[in-house]
Amino acid sequence: MKALLRRGAQHVPGAPALEVLGVTVRYGEVLALDGVSFTLQAGDQLAVVGPNGSGKSTLLGVVAGVLEPTEGEVRIFGHPPGQHTCVGFVPQRSGADLYFPVTVADVVMMGRALKLRRFGWPTRADWQAVHEALRTVGLEELAGRSIAELSGGQRQRAFIARALAQEAKLLLMDEPLAGLDVAAQEDVLASIAQLRLQGVTVLFTTHNLALAAAHFDRVLLLNQRVIALGKPEEVLKEGVLLSAYGHHARLPGVDWRSGLAALDDTCGDGWEQ
Ligand code: ADP
Ligand code: MG
């Protein structure tokens, strides 16, 4: 995360929000990403889908600037990662921060502090920005609640609100729906849809193909390499899926003819929960 806090780069005029250029990542013998390239224009929302171990988290790490690619490079608004206050990160759900004695509004205010590059007393305008962000994700009523008391989905929305308060232009979300029930997933997805209205570029990972297809205009199917990238109906075709998912394709209950397989948390071995 440290790299995210480094500051200073102005956007290069006309540069895409994100360019991933021939990125290869090796962890010793393990080839995690192999020549991955794609571009996001400002306001694009892209779902990266792929089975467990396909390199989704590695890709986000490279874009966030916390991981150096073995080959290739990343440009965010024309600059290398790690020089931006406009990159927001919604962490994967974990129990680790559950007991922090801070309120929902405090968490969102942290985004404001990042944006303003100061950690002094918040102004009235800062609080207004925080409440606006909370309203956008539907959490205004819970502003004074301890973050520890929120459900998983509410917590994810609080982190999205933090990115809004930070005025993030590129938001990275690693499996933000993992472990959430369907209603909470829908709430988080609705908050992401709100980001579209604000022109925030979103890079989102999930192993839930059906959700990605239903909620994103563009989907990148990843399995070390870019297997396919395009509209959901183009990407999630049987042959394309088979090449990415191999033996998972024979799971019962999956309607391959529709092209939009209902693969989700129930897929068992090899899939992230
Ligand atoms: P995903 O998020 O799609 O599950 P990851 O990016 O976490 O995939 O992992 C991609 C591959 O890289 C996997 O084979 C994983 O075991 C491996 N890997 C991830 N992180 C490390 C690490 N720090 N050291 C060694 N191997 C790693
Ligand atoms: Mg992962």
Side-chain angles (χ1 to χ4, degrees):
M1 285 302 291
K2 202 168 137 223
L4 289 182
L5 303 179
R6 255 182 271 140
R7 330 222 174 247
Q10 297 293 317
H11 297 175
V12 173
L18 174 65
E19 293 165 281
V20 174
L21 304 162
V23 165
T24 293
V25 175
R26 286 193 194 84
Y27 299 105
E29 295 293 296
V30 177
L31 181 62
L33 292 176
D34 183 8
V36 170
S37 295
F38 63 95
T39 299
L40 297 184
Q41 302 298 337
D44 284 351
Q45 297 198 337
L46 180 72
V48 176
V49 297
N52 196 14
S54 59
K56 301 183 297 294
S57 295
T58 299
L59 176 62
L60 254 61
V62 170
V63 172
V66 295
L67 261 177
E68 276 292 317
T70 313
E71 288 166 40
E73 58 184 341
V74 168
R75 291 273 176 270
I76 296 170
F77 295 106
H79 292 286
Q83 299 179 20
H84 294 264
T85 53
C86 67
V87 179
F89 189 69
V90 176
Q92 189 158 359
R93 195 179 166 210
S94 84
D97 54 353
L98 258 178
Y99 303 104
F100 271 22
V102 294
T103 67
V104 173
D106 290 335
V107 166
V108 178
M109 184 60 83
M110 288 171 202
R112 203 68 204 153
L114 272 176
K115 153 82 183 157
L116 298 172
R117 307 176 184 197
R118 62 172 166 73
F119 291 84
W121 238 205
T123 65
R124 200 187 155 89
D126 291 332
W127 284 116
Q128 272 171 1
V130 163
H131 284 283
E132 183 110 345
L134 284 170
R135 196 162 39 240
T136 301
V137 301
L139 285 184
E140 213 190 3
E141 308 281 288
L142 301 183
R145 191 77 73 81
S146 162
I147 193 91
E149 294 168 32
L150 298 192
S151 70
Q154 288 168 338
R155 203 134 43 92
Q156 293 295 54
R157 280 147 63 200
F159 282 116
I160 291 172
R162 183 179 66 171
L164 280 171
Q166 184 188 334
E167 296 178 28
K169 298 290 181 263
L170 173 63
L171 186 59
L172 311 175
M173 287 186 269
D174 198 6
E175 299 265 357
L177 306 180
L180 302 184
D181 63 32
V182 171
Q185 288 181 344
E186 292 293 339
D187 287 343
V188 171
L189 287 163
S191 294
I192 294 169
Q194 286 292 320
L195 297 177
R196 178 177 292 146
L197 303 178
Q198 312 217 4
V200 179
T201 310
V202 171
L203 186 60
F204 170 103
T205 71
T206 179
H207 58 285
N208 190 321
L209 304 170
L211 269 178
H215 292 272
F216 286 81
D217 304 331
R218 285 175 80 205
V219 176
L220 189 162
L221 190 54
L222 185 71
N223 203 3
Q224 280 80 58
R225 295 178 298 109
V226 176
I227 305 293
L229 171 61
K231 292 186 181 143
E233 62 271 24
E234 293 161 3
V235 169
L236 303 180
K237 287 186 184 135
E238 178 178 6
V240 174
L241 281 169
L242 285 171
S243 69
Y245 289 96
H247 66 280
H248 294 291
R250 287 190 291 277
L251 286 165
V254 174
D255 179 5
W256 294 103
R257 283 156 305 177
S258 74
L260 300 179
L263 294 176
D264 61 19
D265 295 11
T266 60
C267 288
D269 216 10
W271 290 78
E272 290 179 352
Q273 295 300 309

